[in-house]
Amino acid sequence: MSEVFRAGSVLSGREAAIPVPVWVAASAIIATRLIGVLLLANELGWQEALNFVHRSAQSWDSTLLFVASQLLFFAELRCAFAVLRGQNWGRWGFLAVQLLTVIYMLVASVSGFYPEIFSLNGESTLQMVRSLAASRFPDLLVLLLLFVPQSSRGFYRRPGR
């Protein structure tokens, strides 16, 4: 406890050196995912959320899709915490999850792949691309914060990371 008073900070040297873009990006990932779950739970309500899980377990393909979406959710959260720790695989993992999501959304939109909830609005390809860009824009900004600023790139190039 005396070290806290001497240093004047609760953060250790490694945590205090986290660049602002990395901190903002990781916080944004965590906040948007958790707030999204809370908003969905509020919109559906307890009974409707249970019905959603029950309907997702009706067939193998919907169960597989439900489990995959949950795995992606937890992978994004895990990557966010890895990003905060300065682990380079965290930002590359988040990029991989986003690419996988975009590819799935495009396949679901173009081929009419089940379920329609993941398809993009628009009759033409240009409208679908605009809809995709609008839906993935926040995650694109987070990726830019993780990969573009020199302080972010330098944070992951340090020895021991």
Side-chain angles (χ1 to χ4, degrees), residues 40 52 56 61-62 64-70 72 100-121 128 131-132 135-136:
L40 182 64
F52 175 74
S56 295
D61 56 349
S62 62
L64 180 63
L65 189 60
F66 180 73
V67 169
S69 69
Q70 298 306 306
L72 286 177
L100 188 66
T101 303
V102 166
I103 290 169
Y104 178 79
M105 288 177 77
L106 286 173
V107 168
S109 298
V110 173
S111 66
F113 190 68
Y114 179 81
E116 296 81 20
I117 191 171
F118 295 111
S119 64
L120 300 168
N121 297 331
M128 281 193 252
S131 178
L132 177 66
S135 68
R136 305 313 301 171

Side-chain angles (χ1 to χ4, degrees), residues 17 46 63 90 116 120 146:
W46 178 252
T63 302
E116 296 81 20
L120 300 168
L146 290 174

Side-chain angles (χ1 to χ4, degrees), residues 33 35 38-39 44 50 60 64-65 74 100 107 109 133 156:
R33 296 325 182 249
I35 290 172
L38 290 174
L39 288 173
L44 293 177
L50 290 176
W60 282 105
L64 180 63
L65 189 60
F74 288 115
L100 188 66
V107 168
S109 298
Y156 295 105

Side-chain angles (χ1 to χ4, degrees), residues 19-29 83 91 94 138-153 155-156:
V20 172
V22 172
W23 183 262
V24 169
S27 300
I29 295 169
V83 161
R91 67 185 186 145
F94 185 71
D139 294 323
L140 177 64
L141 290 178
V142 167
L143 287 168
L144 288 174
L145 285 172
L146 290 174
F147 285 95
V148 173
Q150 180 62 33
S151 60
S152 296
R153 291 190 313 245
F155 182 62
Y156 295 105

